[in-house]
Amino acid sequence: MAGMGMAAAAAWDPCRRWGRMAVSFGFHRSFSALLARKPQHAPRRRPAFRQKTSISFLSRPDLPHLAYKRLKGKSPGIIFIPGYMSNMNGTKALAIEEFCKSLGHAYIRFDYSGVGNSDGNLQECTVGRWRKDVLSVIDDLAVGPQILVGSSLGGWLMLHAAIARPQRVVALIGIASAVDGLVTKFNQLPVEAKKEIEMKGVWSMPSKYSEEGAYHIQYSFLKEAEYHCLLHSPIPVNCPVRLLHGMEDDIVSWHTSMQYL
């Protein structure tokens, strides 16, 4: 669920419903252009000016330690929230890091519990636990106001973070945001298929991003995710928002982003 077709990119501003103007920190247009570029036009590395980012771990009592990389820089800081089963070394996470370096902004990228270099058992992870991971990064690692950039499932979690930390989150940028995505996909299955998944306790969801050709999602994960769905009612987010979505995306439909409006 981490991919998105970028042959055509569209940005919608749902801020009219949320009562705020579009993000106005001066770099959002350049940022949008960066994400809309084709891979061969990715930002060039600048070794002479490159800041080294070593992997670190956030220790948390009674919760898995989170792997992260952080750049120091000016405010507002940027936090990248990855998609389902994606880690902090994905192409978008690295491209945004280069972009933040070029402007001197602080930046954090991290791995969810049970993913990448972070501790934890993936089979025990839930949307609620990953929500706590995002809040831990904001509370314990980030300094000052933050702009959250959420990709796919990360676009869902960034909304939860903005609701929970309205004084810290000053803007949101969603990339192919999959709000309620896994729950919606499951609910679209035929009744017989859903009953079979419930009996087996696992859903093998086909995905070209998995080496096995499918993600094996626990039924308990889906049921827990239902408690975090947001599209059934107005979303109480008051900060500026930018939504980017490739209209040729065959994983997360661009219509999902339109539901924010």
Side-chain angles (χ1 to χ4, degrees), residues 169-188:
V169 178
V170 296
L172 302 175
I173 300 175
I175 308 172
S177 298
V179 180
D180 303 357
L182 290 172
V183 175
T184 300
K185 282 182 176 291
F186 176 75
N187 289 336
Q188 291 172 344

Side-chain angles (χ1 to χ4, degrees), residues 25 74-79 106 142-147 167-171:
F25 294 105
K74 62 186 178 182
S75 182
I78 316 297
I79 299 174
V143 177
Q146 299 295 311
I147 297 175
Q167 302 304 315
R168 297 291 308 284
V169 178
V170 296

Side-chain angles (χ1 to χ4, degrees), residues 4-206:
M4 62 181 287
M6 292 306 299
W12 293 277
D13 181 15
C15 302
R16 283 182 293 179
R17 190 180 86 176
W18 294 337
R20 293 292 298 273
M21 294 183 66
V23 60
S24 57
F25 294 105
F27 61 84
H28 70 276
R29 289 177 181 171
S30 298
F31 180 85
S32 300
L34 167 70
L35 293 173
R37 289 173 182 167
K38 296 181 180 180
Q40 61 265 33
H41 298 303
R44 295 181 180 176
R45 298 185 183 277
R46 303 177 178 84
F49 301 97
R50 185 176 178 82
Q51 296 171 259
K52 292 183 179 179
T53 53
S54 58
I55 190 168
S56 302
F57 289 88
L58 173 62
S59 299
R60 303 181 297 171
D62 303 321
L63 289 173
H65 295 179
L66 295 182
Y68 70 93
K69 291 193 175 185
R70 175 170 54 184
L71 287 176
K72 294 182 179 180
K74 62 186 178 182
S75 182
I78 316 297
I79 299 174
F80 180 73
I81 308 174
Y84 181 74
M85 294 298 293
S86 295
N87 59 44
M88 62 177 167
N89 295 317
T91 55
K92 288 188 283 291
L94 297 177
I96 295 170
E97 180 177 80
E98 290 297 319
F99 184 70
C100 289
K101 287 176 185 176
S102 70
L103 296 179
H105 276 272
Y107 178 63
I108 298 173
R109 51 188 170 100
F110 69 98
D111 288 338
Y112 295 125
S113 300
V115 178
N117 290 301
S118 288
D119 292 345
N121 183 349
L122 180 61
Q123 300 303 316
E124 298 175 356
C125 290
T126 62
V127 172
R129 174 167 289 187
W130 287 339
R131 175 184 178 275
K132 289 181 180 179
D133 291 349
V134 177
L135 295 180
S136 292
V137 171
I138 294 173
D139 294 342
D140 302 328
L141 293 178
V143 177
Q146 299 295 311
I147 297 175
L148 307 185
V149 182
S151 172
S152 194
L153 180 137
W156 184 2
L157 295 176
M158 76 176 184
L159 290 173
H160 276 287
I163 294 169
R165 300 290 186 271
Q167 302 304 315
R168 297 291 308 284
V169 178
V170 296
L172 302 175
I173 300 175
I175 308 172
S177 298
V179 180
D180 303 357
L182 290 172
V183 175
T184 300
K185 282 182 176 291
F186 176 75
N187 289 336
Q188 291 172 344
L189 295 175
V191 174
E192 295 77 10
K194 289 190 285 188
K195 288 182 178 179
E196 182 179 357
I197 291 168
E198 183 177 359
M199 290 178 60
K200 290 183 176 179
V202 64
W203 177 28
S204 295
M205 184 184 73

Side-chain angles (χ1 to χ4, degrees), residues 205-216:
M205 184 184 73
S207 174
K208 63 184 180 182
Y209 295 103
S210 169
E211 292 182 358
E212 301 178 21
Y215 288 129
H216 304 293

